[in-house]
Each structure stands twice: as structure tokens, then as C-alpha cells.
Amino acid sequence: MAADKTTMVISLGSSRRRKRGETLFRFESFCQPGYPAPLPGGAAFRDNVRALLGLAHLEAGAQGETKCWSFQLELHRHPPTVVRLFVVEEEVGASPQRQCHLCRHVGWGRNLICSKRFHFVLPKRELSVEADGLHYSISHAPEKPSKGTATSRGHLLHGVVHLNGFGHLVALHGFEGGSDFIAGYQIMDLWDRICSSLNVRMVSLVDTARKGHMELRLLHGVAYGDTWFGRWGYRFGRPSYGVALPSYQQSLHALQSVPLCVLVPHLSCFSQDLPMVVTKYQAISGHKVLNLGDLLRFMLELRTRLPATSVTAMDYRGIMSEASCRWSAKRVDMAARAVVDALRCTEPPARWVTRQEVRDAARAYIGDTGLLDFVLKSLGNHIVGNYVVRRAMNPVTKVLEYCLEDVSSVLPAVGGVPSGGGKMRVRFQLTRAQLMRDLTHLYRHVLKEPSQALTTGAFGAIPVAVRMVLDTKHFVKDYHEGFAPINSVGVGHVQIILCCTLLVRNGSPELVAPYETVTLAANATVGELKWEVQRLFREMYLGLRTFTAESVVGIGVSQDACPVLGLIDVGSAVVVEGTVGEQQQLAADEGILSGNEVEAVSEGGGDGERIVDCACGADDDDGERMACCDICEAWQHTRCAGIKDTDDVPHVFVCSRCDNDVLSFPPLNC
């Protein structure tokens, strides 16, 4: 089923030698409302993306019809840390991948093929882009998953949006995926801001994110009842392996509700460590932890407040006894707390901040620069209040950086932090590394590979529920949720915005276009409306390149010279009727009949009468590996047919139904 992956490359070459005047944009603010430029809220994606690219740097190395722009995004000012976001405009008609398999897998197979796709790419390393070119593709073959969604040639971010506003998040890689500067949630924030500001319609993703050896959609799902991407509004997209939304929600609820008072005795039957893990975190928590969902949620939230390694920390007041300290204890205490306050105000919280940034922020409260420099030089793995001030040299920039870790919940229970002025060392009861080991141990033996004691009796539903959660990978965010096609009149009646679609009389059944917004002058006539709709849909969709608008449904042809506002009611959908050219219609029909993907007009067309009939209940292509029965020609999942994912599909494959039918044939008597 899977086709060979075709990777497209743009050679940038000498165009990477930048001019000094290139604009620098703030990473954390990029595509927030009004920045870098105000975009009209009601405008379509096709118009907004053009307005945004007008502010970008056009790469001189882009050749042929494929154009590429880039934005310099500043992460830190001290030291200067810049990443580059590339935007590639792909001409679909000239692409080796005219159809988008991601649309088909998420259930958008009836969408018409757009004339353009826009790829938003944040490469891991810009130097490799300079040397090897910018690689981008919509992979047809699943790759090895990592921290994020489906991988895409090592990019930190790869999102693709069709000209009609439907898009896909193809890749997302944070620190665990090889990022040097940017966390996964920061990249996700950037992608969400881009989609919101450009007025994207819907975005899908395939959730294969992992945390170490743990599938994040299972771990986060049991802890919070939702995927990690749910923080940005992504919800259940479509069934995989026949797992519908009610089954998915019931499975999550069943796993969350497993009572620990019943689970712990079963765990003690085969492991002495697991019951101790559960009781340890119940004791640390300040509130009741009653079920598995409570336990995993508390452990994930506690992880962010723990020190990364098992290093010791000292009370900061010990620096007052150093020979170089010539200030009073009160002034040193004020300076240390000013440094902590400066670090607490950083966005996002708990990020590493350069020494210069901390110094500049603390100067607002401490005027003595000598005192401030002394405290910054002395603080490193010191406890100030409920925080540990960490200090380290950035291995990439070679600049000293500081970070805060909240340890209020994990300080030693006996004695707390010493109140004396000596260099008393404090060792934490728990570290982040220890918690991750406990979490992985719990995940493996309770969810992923449960023992025999957890697969029978009352716990027999755990493996089934886990499998249903893991089988659910398609998630979608609807940026127009609750949107209804409503026509509007611009301020001061300068222009009108109409929601229009087509009725193609002589075209293929696949030629069903979605609603598109059309902007006209307030005094536009019906004839001008038809011309604008014809131009717009011709430019947007390959299958409508020869569309000719003939009439507006409900309005006679003789009224072409009449104003639109007097004939079309505000709030009604406008339907323009017309035909496609015979040559285009013939090519589309031949593509459907022959299964030729090149001539298909919709994202899921061109496969002929492919029938999906699997034992799991699936009746459509969900992106999982399938095999076609050589007798009935119905497709079904290889996993459901008993073929392991590591095994190849046999050259001759017969489904179980046909196999039983063959066995029921009466014997031939020769």
C-alpha cells in the first residue's frame, strides 16, 4: 500500500550569505496578533499567507516554479541565538506527489487537489541546509517515531498547509528529538500561532510522540484524559483499527479509574519495587492519590519541579563567609533574592537565562554592581528560599547561564534548609532521573507489558483498553469550530465578503468544492461575482482549471448587470453553477477509471473502487498497513490478519473469509 517516498530538495547555495539589513523577528512573539504585521481576521489563508510572505526574505537559490522564503527568528538576545523558519511554495501540478496521503488517511479524501501547498520548515541545523539543501516531503512510508509526530528528515518543525486552508503537522522534534535550543512546547506554540494568524481551517497530525520508551499518547492520556496535543485544541480525528471516539474515551476512563488500593496488592505478587513506588509518591503528594490517573498526573507534574540530577545543593548564606565578601549579610540576602526574582520572571518559566540578562534585570533593584557581580559569581547549586539556583556553561554558545528549580516539595523533611551561615550541604530526597525511572517502571509493568496477574479477572480490561488508546493516532484541530458561512459587508460598505461554492453540472462526482470566501467591491454586479468566483476556483483547484461560471443559483442570467447586494441576502450561501471543459472532464474521468493518480481531482481519488473490509470494523483507509485479498480484492489490516509488523506481506494473500469459503468447497471427485 505504501508508495516510495519522494523527497524534494531546494538548493540554497550562495543565497545563504545574508545581507546585514535582513529583518530579525522575535521567536516568542512571531505571528501573535498584529506581529509582525496586522492580518485581516476574516481573510482566507491564501490571502494571509501572501501578506506574511511579503515580509520574508526570498531565497535566491530557489529555482524553477518552487519558491522559498525565510524568516530569521531570535530566541535569545544575550547571546544572539537565531533560528530560521523556511516557507516553501510547492506547485502541486509539477510535484511528484500530487495527492496528499495525509488528507486521505485523516478522512479528507474528498477534498479537491489544490494547486499549491505551503511547507513551513524549521530545520535542526541551518549549516546542514546550506550544505545539502532544504529537504521536504510528505512521506508515504511511516518512519521510526521520536519525540513529536511523524518524523520528517530531522526537521524540528514541518507543517504543510494546502491553499484551501487544510493542513497537517508532519514533524515536531523537541530536545529529545535533537533540538539544541527550543523545547517541543515552544515549537508547538509557534506552529499554533502561525495557523491561527493565517486563518487555517483545520490541521491534522499523527501522534507518535514518545517520552523515552513511553508512548506519550498513552501516558498523557491516562494522566489527563487527553493527548499531549490537546493543550493546543487537538481532538480525536478519525478511527484507526475501528476504534471510534466512544471506545477511545471509555478506554481512557477505565485506565484512569483503576483504584490503587486494589492495584497495589496485585503488584506485590510479582514485584516488591512497584508497591514501594506507588506508596512513595502517595506519601510525597500533599493530596489524596486514589487511582492510576491521579498517580501518573502527580508524577508528571512533580517532574518539572525536581532537579535534573542527584547533585547536592548548599545554603546560599554560606557565600557570606567567603573572604571576598565585603558586604553585610542583609545586603547579600537582598541581592540573592533579587537574582531569584529576576529568574522567576523569565518566560517560559524555568528556562536558562544568560548572565547578562539576569544582571540587567536585577540592576533595577540592586544599584551596587560590585555586590551584584559577587552574588552572580558565587551562586551555583545554592538554595535560596524554595529554589535552587543552577549555573552552567552553555556548551554551544560558551556563555554562562542561570536557571531556577522549584524544590519546595522535595526538600529534606527533617530540619529543612539549615539556618546557619555555614556551607551546609543539602541532598534532595528525589531527583528527576529517579522519578523518570519510577515512571518508566510503572508504565512498563502496569500498562505496556502487564504481568499475568493484571490480565485476568477485574484487570482483564487493561490490555484491551491500552491497545485501543495506542491505536488512536489521528487528531485534528478545527480552527473554524462553530464557523457558519455568513456573508458580510465591509466597514463603510467599501467591500462585501461572500461565502461561495460551486455546482458543476457536467463534472466528475468528485468535483465538489468547499465554501470559499470571495471579496468584492460593495457595488459589484452579479456578472463580476461570477467572474471572480470563476477566477478564484480556477486558481485554487487543479480539477477546476477549465471551470466556466454560467449562473448564480436563484438569480437569472439576465440579471448579470444588477448589483449583488440587492439580490443576495446577507447570511445565505452563494452557489455558482457552471461546467468544466470537455478535455479536463475527460482527463478526470480517465484518471478515475484507470487509477492513474496523476489525473485524480481529489486527494483520495484515483484508486478505483478500493474496498476496505477489515475484521476490526474499518471500512476506509486509516493509514495503517493493509493487504489486499487476491480473491475478493478487499483490503484489511495486516495486523488484523495475523501478520506481524516486522514481517513482509506474503505474495499471495487470502483473507480469513475467503479462506473459510475455500475450505467449505466440496471435494472434487476425479
Side-chain angles (χ1 to χ4, degrees):
M1 242 188 104
D4 293 333
K5 181 176 72 171
T6 304
T7 301
M8 291 155 281
V9 184
I10 293 181
S11 178
L12 301 177
S14 61
S15 68
R16 308 300 299 122
R17 298 175 182 173
R18 303 291 166 188
K19 296 181 179 179
R20 291 186 177 181
E22 189 176 349
T23 307
L24 197 63
F25 301 97
R26 298 189 303 274
F27 181 93
E28 297 294 341
S29 305
F30 188 72
C31 280
Q32 284 186 348
Y35 183 82
L39 298 174
F45 167 79
R46 63 181 184 272
D47 300 320
N48 285 335
V49 72
R50 293 297 179 199
L52 181 65
L53 293 179
L55 305 173
H57 172 80
L58 179 62
E59 296 290 340
Q63 307 222 340
E65 297 185 358
T66 302
K67 294 181 181 178
C68 179
W69 294 264
S70 66
F71 295 91
Q72 277 198 114
L73 305 181
E74 182 186 50
L75 280 168
H76 309 299
R77 185 162 297 177
H78 302 291
T81 306
V82 176
V83 295
R84 192 172 292 275
L85 174 68
F86 293 91
V87 183
V88 180
E89 179 184 359
E90 179 188 359
E91 292 289 343
V92 178
S95 171
Q97 299 174 341
R98 281 178 53 128
Q99 288 179 289
C100 175
H101 75 288
L102 296 174
C103 281
R104 183 171 68 250
H105 294 166
V106 80
W108 301 342
R110 292 184 178 273
N111 286 10
L112 297 183
I113 300 175
C114 291
S115 60
K116 297 179 187 294
R117 288 193 286 253
F118 291 87
H119 298 260
F120 297 81
V121 179
L122 196 67
K124 275 185 186 176
R125 290 169 180 83
E126 194 172 341
L127 291 177
S128 63
V129 172
E130 295 179 13
D132 303 330
L134 182 67
H135 295 251
Y136 64 98
S137 69
I138 304 178
S139 172
H140 283 66
E143 302 180 26
K144 185 178 180 181
S146 65
K147 181 68 172 70
T149 61
T151 59
S152 179
R153 198 175 177 86
H155 296 317
L156 299 182
L157 169 68
H158 180 195
V160 58
V161 183
H162 302 279
L163 191 59
N164 61 1
F166 288 85
H168 316 278
L169 179 57
V170 184
L172 174 69
H173 294 150
F175 289 132
E176 293 189 13
S179 173
D180 293 328
F181 305 106
I182 322 172
Y185 74 89
Q186 291 176 289
I187 302 173
M188 193 64 200
D189 284 341
L190 172 65
W191 171 246
D192 193 56
R193 292 197 304 269
I194 291 173
C195 293
S196 297
S197 64
L198 296 184
N199 204 16
V200 169
R201 287 179 171 180
M202 300 179 75
V203 175
S204 76
L205 61 85
V206 180
D207 186 359
T208 58
R210 301 176 72 91
K211 192 72 175 176
H213 298 287
M214 299 176 286
E215 286 87 351
L216 202 55
R217 64 186 181 279
L218 176 59
L219 178 64
H220 203 277
V222 177
Y224 296 98
D226 200 359
T227 175
W228 180 74
F229 297 97
R231 297 164 55 184
W232 293 272
Y234 285 82
R235 299 291 179 258
F236 180 92
R238 70 158 302 161
S240 295
Y241 290 111
V243 180
L245 177 59
S247 300
Y248 170 69
Q249 293 174 330
Q250 291 169 8
S251 298
L252 284 178
H253 179 71
L255 294 172
Q256 284 181 302
S257 305
V258 174
L260 296 179
C261 61
V262 180
L263 179 64
V264 170
H266 283 75
L267 295 177
S268 60
C269 296
F270 64 91
S271 172
Q272 296 180 350
D273 296 335
L274 286 174
M276 295 177 60
V277 168
V278 175
T279 55
K280 176 172 66 174
Y281 291 99
Q282 284 180 316
I284 294 175
S285 174
H287 54 274
K288 290 185 178 181
V289 178
L290 302 178
N291 54 46
L292 185 60
D294 293 340
L295 177 62
L296 295 183
R297 183 167 59 254
F298 171 70
M299 293 177 73
L300 289 174
E301 293 173 353
L302 179 62
R303 174 185 172 274
T304 61
R305 306 197 302 268
L306 293 177
T309 57
S310 57
V311 298
T312 57
M314 297 183 294
D315 180 18
Y316 80 99
R317 283 163 286 197
I319 68 177
M320 303 174 189
S321 62
E322 296 183 6
S324 58
C325 181
R326 52 186 175 85
W327 295 271
S328 65
K330 182 178 180 181
R331 295 188 66 192
V332 173
D333 179 75
M334 289 177 58
R337 295 188 181 278
V339 169
V340 170
D341 290 340
L343 290 170
R344 287 176 59 191
C345 294
T346 59
E347 288 294 337
R351 76 172 176 92
W352 286 91
V353 183
T354 64
R355 180 187 182 279
Q356 188 63 45
E357 289 179 289
V358 179
R359 190 178 188 274
D360 291 344
R363 275 293 307 277
Y365 306 96
I366 305 298
D368 189 339
T369 56
L371 170 61
L372 194 56
D373 290 337
F374 168 76
V375 171
L376 287 173
K377 180 188 70 173
S378 303
L379 285 182
N381 293 332
H382 285 80
I383 298 176
V384 182
N386 291 328
Y387 298 92
V388 173
V389 180
R390 302 290 182 196
R391 184 181 65 190
M393 181 76 72
N394 189 308
V396 178
T397 62
K398 308 301 180 184
V399 173
L400 202 61
E401 295 182 344
Y402 293 81
C403 182
L404 278 188
E405 291 186 6
D406 186 352
V407 292
S408 57
S409 61
V410 292
L411 287 173
V414 180
V417 179
S419 57
K423 295 184 179 180
M424 181 73 71
R425 290 184 175 269
V426 179
R427 183 172 293 276
F428 297 104
Q429 294 175 315
L430 186 64
T431 66
R432 192 181 307 167
Q434 292 171 342
L435 184 142
M436 288 305 297
R437 285 195 295 270
D438 293 339
L439 188 60
T440 303
H441 198 50
L442 194 66
Y443 173 90
R444 176 184 175 187
H445 292 287
V446 176
L447 296 175
K448 191 65 175 175
E449 301 172 7
S451 67
Q452 187 66 28
L454 294 179
T455 57
T456 57
F459 295 105
I462 289 182
V464 178
V466 167
R467 174 46 56 193
M468 287 188 173
V469 173
L470 290 178
D471 284 344
T472 304
K473 301 175 184 176
H474 293 283
F475 295 90
V476 172
K477 178 172 181 178
D478 186 356
Y479 285 87
H480 289 186
E481 190 171 5
F483 170 80
I486 298 178
N487 300 336
S488 62
V489 182
V491 178
H493 299 280
V494 175
Q495 63 183 20
I496 54 177
I497 300 175
L498 301 176
C499 217
C500 305
T501 188
L502 303 184
L503 176 61
V504 183
R505 291 203 311 269
N506 66 333
S508 158
E510 295 184 26
L511 286 175
V512 179
Y515 283 93
E516 302 290 348
T517 56
V518 177
T519 303
L520 298 169
N523 59 351
T525 64
V526 174
E528 291 171 335
L529 168 63
K530 293 192 312 184
W531 183 89
E532 181 62 22
V533 169
Q534 174 181 295
R535 182 198 63 81
L536 174 64
F537 281 86
R538 278 186 175 188
E539 291 182 358
M540 287 194 63
Y541 299 104
L542 293 181
L544 297 172
R545 286 172 295 183
T546 59
F547 173 76
T548 301
E550 297 177 347
S551 63
V552 178
V553 175
I555 299 176
V557 178
S558 59
Q559 295 179 294
D560 280 1
C562 298
V564 171
L565 283 179
L567 298 174
I568 297 177
D569 296 330
V570 175
S572 61
V574 179
V575 181
V576 177
E577 188 175 7
T579 59
V580 292
E582 294 182 2
Q583 190 174 5
Q584 177 70 18
Q585 178 190 350
L586 180 60
D589 291 340
E590 287 178 353
I592 296 169
L593 295 174
S594 64
N596 184 354
E597 182 178 310
V598 174
E599 299 298 344
V601 297
S602 65
E603 301 289 3
D607 286 331
E609 294 297 327
R610 171 176 288 184
I611 299 174
V612 177
D613 184 13
C614 189
C616 67
D619 57 2
D620 197 5
D621 183 5
D622 56 12
E624 304 296 340
R625 191 174 72 150
M626 290 187 174
C628 180
C629 176
D630 289 298
I631 296 179
C632 67
E633 297 185 346
W635 292 77
Q636 61 180 267
H637 297 118
T638 53
R639 193 187 80 181
C640 298
I643 303 173
K644 296 181 180 179
D645 292 338
T646 55
D647 296 340
D648 294 331
V649 179
H651 294 292
V652 178
F653 172 72
V654 180
C655 66
S656 58
R657 185 183 296 109
C658 292
D659 191 32
N660 293 332
D661 291 342
V662 170
L663 293 175
S664 64
F665 287 167
L668 297 176
N669 296 322
C670 298

